Amino acid sequence: MVHVVPADPQAVVAVKKKAQPSRSWVLLDSTGETTVLDVDKYAIMHRVNIHARDLRILDPLLSYPSTILGRDGAIVLNLEHIKAIITSEEVLLRDPSDENVVPVVQELQRRLPLVNAIRQGQDYTGGQNDVEGDEDESPFEFRALEVALESICSFLAARTLELETAAYPALDELTSQISSRNLDRVRKLKSAMTRLTARVQKVRDELEQLLDDDDDMADLYLSRKLAGTSPVSGSGAANWYPASPTIGSKISRASRASIATVRGDENDVEELEMLLEAYFMQIDGTLNKLTTLREYIDDTEDYINIQLDNHRNQLIQLELFLSSGTVCLSVYSLVAAIFGMNIPYTWNDNHGYMFKWVVIVSGIFSAILFVLIMSYARVKSLVGS
């Protein structure tokens, strides 16, 4: 008899945790300090307080569409190669050694420390520094989100420009010379354009979905939710809302001139809406470029098909010409063959010139028949066109 011993639940959890491979993350805080973490998903879940299904979205081995999710204390961001978790005080970015992620890390390192530097300059001058009036105010999570959106929009725009640079000359060369090499080259470019269009469309759809739902945008206000769950006095409210550096953003400065996102109306999402609209317009412009390129490719394909149809019609006309000539020669050969057979003809006795006239008449008849066939074919082609 076999006895089944129930497994210890804690031991099973421990085994699962040991079996989980560690992933490389880079941590950037509000001062711009960078720390590389080599931890498993349980440590990340405990640190930012998110569910496993949210962390699964950031798994590079799984194919998830572009997503921006707002949770209680974090923003889960999956935009192409940018897979990050943004809180109100830090940013966790996955796979920092990726060549496409390195510029994002560098941009975050460059922008985030400027907030503290500006704040120190204001404290040093007793609040009379002129920078205070010129700088925008924005929560930490919005500044980190803006870096991610700007990076992904710039990345996709650069890929689109590279594709346009290669596609237009290839299409022009194909119209001038139709060859297997040019056709294969255009085929590869069209496949790359289709894949890039799908990637751009996913990012655009996610931004559009966010802009259409105020509740989803309100979930991204982490500093506001954090301030709403903590006792904040009138003098300390500004500590939840640090000043933002000048980062060349497309967002209007007037929309971020107050601290209403922390102490104001919970349904006020104007600031985030302005931010998302700016990058929505940018990604929509990239998609329009790809659409224009697709139309140019379609026009080129139509032109090539017209050329091929023209060549096909010429081959058909040549085939008809040869067939008509064959039929006429067959008639002429038939007459000559009949008179060439070794059969005695009584009507040909003492009339040697008869064979010559028959051959001449059959030749004229064959020529007339050939002309009639070609004329009929010409008239049919004109009527059809």
Side-chain angles (χ1 to χ4, degrees):
M1 180 180 294
V2 179
H3 296 280
V4 179
V5 180
D8 186 4
Q10 295 181 355
V12 173
V13 174
V15 171
K16 288 183 178 180
K17 289 185 178 181
K18 290 182 180 179
Q20 291 295 330
S22 60
R23 299 291 183 180
S24 179
W25 296 77
V26 60
L27 172 65
L28 296 98
D29 56 16
S30 58
T31 63
E33 183 179 354
T34 304
T35 305
V36 178
L37 304 177
D38 193 11
V39 295
D40 58 9
K41 70 176 185 179
Y42 294 101
I44 298 297
M45 290 165 55
H46 178 72
R47 184 182 186 93
V48 298
N49 192 21
I50 62 174
H51 295 286
R53 61 177 177 270
D54 297 329
L55 194 60
R56 193 181 301 116
I57 297 175
L58 306 180
D59 194 340
L61 300 179
L62 301 177
S63 178
Y64 278 91
S66 298
T67 307
I68 302 176
L69 297 177
R71 294 297 181 251
D72 291 338
I75 298 175
V76 181
L77 189 69
N78 178 27
L79 296 175
E80 292 289 327
H81 55 272
I82 302 178
K83 304 179 183 296
I85 302 175
I86 303 174
T87 67
S88 59
E89 297 178 350
E90 60 187 20
V91 180
L92 283 166
L93 200 61
R94 193 160 200 169
D95 297 334
S97 59
D98 192 321
E99 60 179 2
N100 295 322
V101 180
V102 171
V104 182
V105 177
Q106 295 175 350
E107 191 67 14
L108 288 170
Q109 291 174 338
R110 185 180 69 85
R111 293 185 178 183
L112 295 181
L114 294 179
V115 178
N116 292 332
I118 292 173
R119 187 184 303 163
Q120 292 174 2
Q122 293 173 358
D123 294 340
Y124 179 77
T125 57
Q128 299 298 326
N129 197 324
D130 294 336
V131 180
E132 181 179 1
D134 296 334
E135 292 299 329
D136 298 331
E137 294 178 348
S138 180
F140 173 83
E141 63 270 16
F142 286 179
R143 290 184 281 113
L145 177 62
E146 183 176 11
V147 172
L149 290 175
E150 182 177 348
S151 299
I152 196 63
C153 289
S154 301
F155 175 80
L156 294 176
R159 300 290 82 77
T160 302
L161 181 60
E162 292 177 0
L163 185 62
E164 287 179 333
T165 304
Y168 284 113
L171 293 171
D172 293 338
E173 184 177 356
L174 180 62
T175 55
S176 60
Q177 181 181 3
I178 302 176
S179 63
S180 299
R181 172 179 170 274
N182 292 335
L183 287 172
D184 184 67
R185 182 182 175 188
V186 172
R187 179 188 62 82
K188 293 179 179 178
L189 290 173
K190 186 177 181 180
S191 300
M193 183 206 64
T194 302
R195 293 192 297 268
L196 182 59
T197 303
R199 294 162 60 186
V200 174
Q201 185 70 48
K202 290 178 182 179
V203 177
R204 181 189 179 278
D205 291 344
E206 180 61 23
L207 293 179
E208 185 178 14
Q209 182 178 357
L210 270 177
L211 287 169
D212 291 340
D213 196 330
D214 290 346
D215 293 336
D216 289 344
M217 286 192 288
D219 289 337
L220 303 184
Y221 281 79
L222 303 181
S223 298
R224 175 191 294 174
K225 291 188 289 185
L226 185 61
T229 57
S230 302
V232 181
S233 62
S235 60
N239 293 331
W240 295 106
Y241 208 96
S244 172
T246 301
I247 56 179
S249 171
K250 300 176 179 63
I251 292 80
S252 172
R253 290 172 177 249
S255 66
R256 301 191 296 182
S258 66
I259 60 173
T261 52
V262 173
R263 300 184 299 177
D265 186 7
E266 293 182 356
N267 297 324
D268 183 15
V269 293
E270 181 180 358
E271 178 181 359
L272 180 58
E273 187 175 5
M274 294 290 291
L275 187 148
L276 295 177
E277 281 182 351
Y279 293 101
F280 175 80
M281 296 299 295
Q282 184 174 347
I283 200 70
D284 189 61
T286 302
L287 184 62
N288 290 335
K289 291 182 180 180
L290 291 172
T291 303
T292 303
L293 179 59
R294 175 180 290 277
E295 292 176 354
Y296 192 83
I297 292 177
D298 293 339
D299 293 341
T300 303
E301 289 180 346
D302 293 338
Y303 176 75
I304 291 173
N305 289 330
I306 292 174
Q307 282 189 328
L308 293 177
D309 290 340
N310 184 35
H311 293 320
R312 191 179 299 111
N313 291 335
Q314 291 178 355
L315 292 176
I316 293 175
Q317 290 180 356
L318 177 61
E319 182 180 2
L320 179 62
F321 177 82
L322 295 177
S323 300
S324 302
T326 303
V327 170
C328 296
L329 289 177
S330 299
V331 174
Y332 184 78
S333 300
L334 176 63
V335 175
I338 292 175
F339 281 90
M341 290 188 298
N342 190 15
I343 298 177
Y345 295 100
T346 57
W347 55 270
N348 196 26
D349 295 341
N350 300 323
H351 298 85
Y353 60 87
M354 185 62 68
F355 177 76
K356 297 180 181 179
W357 280 106
V358 170
V359 171
I360 292 174
V361 170
S362 63
I364 294 175
F365 175 77
S366 299
I368 294 175
L369 179 63
F370 177 77
V371 172
L372 290 176
I373 294 176
M374 295 305 299
S375 300
Y376 176 77
R378 180 64 177 173
V379 171
K380 291 290 292 183
S381 63
L382 292 176
V383 173
S385 60

